[in-house]
Amino acid sequence: MKRLRVLGAIGSLCVLAAVLFVAAGPPKVPEDAIQSSVIRAPELMKRAWTLPVAATFQSNISWQSNGSLCGPSSLANVFRSIGEEETTESEILEGTGLCWTGFCIMGLTLDELATVARRHTERRISLLRDITADEFREHMKRSNDPSRRYVINFTREKIFGSGAGHHSPIAGYLEAQDLVLVLDVNEDYKPWLIERERLFAAMDTFDGDNKRGLLLIE
């Protein structure tokens, strides 16, 4: 009996340590590194916010409440933009059995995020993985279609030089400049534009045994 109590206490401490680690998150990327790694030229950002899909977000992003909830936060923002009822992280996670502590230990995979999305919408959910650079370009062109929404899973390391995997909505593509608008749900980063090839390189990486990719909601 005493042994069970000790094992239970150790288990609780492990869970607490994991939660504290997730809450703290990976080391923050310095503000100057963020600014120098992406594009926020006022005239380009203003033009990007007028794109058909970007306009549905009304320049208003609900930030993730902790470092582990980028996936649920991304879905909440996307669902709000298309008129679905679940528009908060807690509503997105309700009934899934995931992240019951308020933290998604190690975050959600793209597959898990697709499963969560399917619980809360009748729209078609497609998981796009192992796509080529040319296929990615075609999807970015279609990211301006108001009937479609994309959530991308990428690694910050490829863009900012450090950082972990992350989910965020894609809200449009400035084709003439070959720039993608990413609605980063982390308030430290905020929305930014990036060259399509660099974003593809950040997505075309592994998360465990599987490649990262796109979640398409239509």
Side-chain angles (χ1 to χ4, degrees):
M1 205 55 190
K2 183 177 180 181
R3 178 183 174 85
L4 290 176
R5 285 198 297 270
V6 170
L7 290 175
I10 292 173
S12 297
L13 287 173
C14 289
V15 171
L16 178 59
V19 168
L20 290 174
F21 174 80
V22 171
K28 285 190 175 184
V29 176
E31 177 62 25
D32 59 345
I34 295 173
Q35 295 298 331
S36 63
S37 299
V38 296
I39 297 169
R40 287 205 179 95
E43 67 278 9
L44 288 174
M45 289 298 294
K46 182 177 180 180
R47 193 182 312 164
W49 278 116
T50 66
L51 293 169
V53 171
T56 67
F57 289 86
Q58 301 175 348
S59 303
N60 179 27
I61 308 301
S62 298
W63 312 117
Q64 63 190 86
S65 59
N66 66 62
S68 72
L69 290 175
C70 57
S73 178
S74 293
L75 284 184
N77 280 285
V78 164
F79 281 3
R80 175 171 53 79
S81 78
I82 54 179
E84 294 283 5
E85 294 181 357
E86 290 80 7
T87 60
T88 67
E89 294 167 342
S90 59
E91 289 171 339
I92 292 294
L93 290 168
E94 185 177 355
T96 66
L98 297 169
C99 316
W100 55 270
T101 62
F103 296 87
C104 298
I105 308 302
M106 304 306 293
L108 295 182
T109 66
L110 194 61
D111 299 83
E112 289 171 328
L113 196 62
T115 299
V116 170
R118 292 185 181 109
R119 288 185 63 92
H120 296 296
T121 183
E122 297 297 320
R123 298 172 190 269
R124 184 168 61 182
I125 307 295
S126 303
L127 198 159
L128 308 174
R129 180 179 278 138
D130 295 313
I131 62 176
T132 66
D134 287 339
E135 290 171 331
F136 183 73
R137 184 171 188 270
E138 291 306 308
H139 280 291
M140 293 305 94
K141 289 181 180 179
R142 300 194 69 183
S143 69
N144 291 325
D145 181 345
S147 69
R148 300 164 74 94
R149 296 291 186 278
Y150 289 90
V151 174
I152 187 168
N153 180 218
F154 64 97
T155 176
R156 291 198 187 281
E157 194 277 333
K158 285 283 188 177
I159 297 174
F160 302 103
S162 64
H166 188 69
H167 294 93
S168 275
I170 285 174
Y173 178 54
L174 292 173
E175 189 170 356
Q177 292 78 25
D178 200 18
L179 295 175
V180 182
L181 176 62
V182 178
L183 303 187
D184 203 313
V185 294
N186 186 315
E187 191 174 9
D188 290 340
Y189 292 79
K190 298 184 175 65
W192 35 268
L193 289 162
I194 189 170
E195 299 88 346
R196 172 186 49 82
E197 289 184 353
R198 289 183 61 215
L199 185 60
F200 175 74
M203 183 195 74
D204 192 35
T205 55
F206 280 89
D207 181 12
D209 295 330
N210 296 315
K211 278 283 190 75
R212 303 180 193 275
L214 296 165
L215 199 65
L216 169 60
I217 302 170
E218 57 184 335

